[in-house]
Amino acid sequence: MARTNSHSIRAALLRPLLAAIVLCALLLALAPPGADAARARISGHLPNCHIAVAAASTAPGAAPSIRLARAAVCLINNRRTQRGLHRLRINNRLTKAAMWHTHDMVHRSYFGHVSRRGRDVVDRLYGARYLGGRFSWAVGENLAWGSGNLGTPRKIVHAWMKSPGHRRNMLDGRYREIGIGVISRGPVRTDLPAATYTTTFGVRR
């Protein structure tokens, strides 16, 4: 049975979602919701979505993980621009933290925002040097893994959009940057090829 676990600093939600896709969402903020967006510190780049989106329906193992990752970012940005929001730029430090966590979940066989060593997304972002210094920030993290055709970027992003916590992270107008880590393997053994996804969202002011 699949589950979605949407957690914020205010509330936790647990309810069924989609078969064979497991999801988690986390939102943390130390920046006031009305903070001036013009003061955001932005770095990174945008993927070439004319090329990347071709892998949107590619099942795990049928293409390199980097292609799945780029396609997922393009799909997220497409959802944002449809609603008049700016596109998120890929930040290398957010991506480093996301890859660390995806690798850790896959190789230590667990699925959740807190690692076996007790490190959460904020710990990872300090370790990747995305956080630190005298500025306010807001960060979020979406997790998912799916097997077979349900592990494609399109299915993962669709599942996130159907879950309130994940959708809130993807469509949060404060965020300016994104990091993503995808590995073509699940955190548990599966009969079909699987993929595990971590996306980290952030803004610093």
Side-chain angles (χ1 to χ4, degrees):
M1 180 176 178
R3 297 181 301 170
T4 175
N5 183 8
S6 172
H7 177 70
S8 76
I9 57 176
R10 295 176 298 276
L13 172 70
L14 183 65
R15 69 180 182 84
L17 186 66
L18 296 175
I21 300 180
V22 183
L23 309 173
C24 281
L26 180 72
L27 168 68
L28 292 167
L30 287 182
D36 183 7
R39 293 188 290 115
R41 299 156 48 116
I42 306 171
S43 63
H45 64 279
L46 293 168
N48 184 341
C49 289
H50 295 294
I51 297 174
V53 78
S57 298
T58 302
S65 296
I66 187 64
R67 291 188 61 195
L68 304 184
R70 289 171 180 163
V73 171
C74 289
L75 292 171
I76 291 169
N77 276 335
N78 183 52
R79 301 301 194 280
R80 290 176 65 88
T81 57
Q82 287 174 356
R83 292 158 177 82
L85 299 169
H86 50 265
R87 292 181 294 172
L88 300 173
R89 301 181 75 85
I90 298 175
N91 178 278
N92 290 337
R93 293 181 180 182
L94 286 175
T95 293
K96 184 177 182 179
M99 278 302 302
W100 278 349
H101 194 49
T102 301
H103 183 273
D104 196 56
M105 288 191 294
V106 165
H107 289 275
R108 295 181 185 272
S109 301
Y110 72 94
F111 182 73
H113 294 287
V114 180
S115 74
R116 298 282 195 199
R117 299 178 180 180
R119 291 170 58 86
D120 62 17
V121 62
V122 175
D123 295 321
R124 291 188 286 276
L125 291 176
Y126 272 108
R129 300 181 68 183
Y130 183 76
L131 298 181
R134 296 184 179 181
F135 50 77
S136 60
W137 51 264
V139 298
E141 182 177 75
N142 281 1
L143 307 178
W145 74 270
S147 58
N149 289 333
L150 293 180
T152 68
R154 192 178 303 281
K155 290 290 188 180
I156 294 295
V157 172
H158 179 74
W160 279 335
M161 285 294 291
K162 293 294 184 180
S163 169
H166 304 86
R167 179 187 176 96
R168 184 167 58 248
N169 277 343
M170 290 195 298
L171 301 182
D172 193 320
R174 293 174 300 175
Y175 293 144
R176 293 292 184 270
E177 299 166 323
I178 188 172
I180 186 162
V182 179
I183 292 179
S184 293
R185 184 174 151 191
V188 299
R189 292 180 180 273
T190 60
D191 293 332
L192 295 173
T196 303
Y197 294 70
T198 300
T199 51
T200 50
F201 305 87
V203 63
R204 299 172 294 176
R205 297 182 179 88

